[in-house]
Amino acid sequence: MAYSAKIGPSILSSDLSCLGSECVRMMECGADYLHLDVMDGHFVPNITFGHPMVECLRKTVGQDPFFDMHMMVSRPEQWVKPMAAAGASQYTFHLEATTNPGNLIKEIRESAMKVGLAIKPGTTVEELAPWANQIDMALIMTVEPGFGGQKFMEDMMPKAGANMIVSGSAVIGSEDPRSVIKMLRDAVAEAIQKRSLDR
């Protein structure tokens, strides 16, 4: 199976007063999808935005951009239906935030969204493994959830290969986001190719 690199800027790093135009700008710069960080002030200390903002963004940018909702919330079950109605494409919840991942995965699928499952740096891949065949994407956090602009945790690299890369300030804060997106895509494609040759 051939894998390709997909780059999703985390829009939380944008100028929030111009969020719609920032989303359009990222897509025009070559982003494959948009990563939207939802924080509730409980699972992580910060608060960001919820489904009303997602609905507004969807109306602004249209149906094409893929919205990956990174739900850093303590009760992810609560927001599945509102996010689906708002136009979310994928609902990525934290394994650490639920006691019944299987039921939540089923509910997300029934709401016509793809399923993402995220783990914090301190959670092992083995804890995620039982759900791997039921999800569309695993998000291996390489920073602690809840704050932008953190330094990449290189010691997370052995956890898993990656072909969907989320980057916030490195892309959005760049003078030339298009070049950064291309550089990330090329680096991942090169690593995927090298790994294929090593097998």
Side-chain angles (χ1 to χ4, degrees), residues 74-88:
S74 58
R75 291 182 16 226
E77 297 82 1
Q78 178 180 357
W79 305 110
V80 173
K81 285 183 175 47
M83 283 298 180

Side-chain angles (χ1 to χ4, degrees), residues 21 23 27 49 61 66 94 99 102 109 117 134 143 162 166 184 193 195:
S21 60
C23 289
M27 296 307 293
F49 50 81
V61 302
F66 186 89
H94 270 267
T99 56
R109 290 239 184 266
L117 183 55
Q134 297 178 46
V143 295
V166 175
L184 288 169
Q193 183 177 15
R195 184 171 175 151

Side-chain angles (χ1 to χ4, degrees), residues 98-115:
T98 185
T99 56
N100 194 341
N103 193 53
L104 184 50
I105 290 167
K106 182 175 181 277
E107 187 177 345
I108 295 166
R109 290 239 184 266
E110 288 171 353
S111 297
M113 292 183 288
K114 291 192 174 208
V115 179

Side-chain angles (χ1 to χ4, degrees), residues 14-33:
S14 350
D15 177 350
L16 298 180
S17 68
C18 308
L19 202 48
S21 60
E22 285 282 86
C23 289
V24 170
R25 182 173 74 98
M26 288 300 105
M27 296 307 293
E28 288 173 349
C29 285
D32 297 295
Y33 68 100

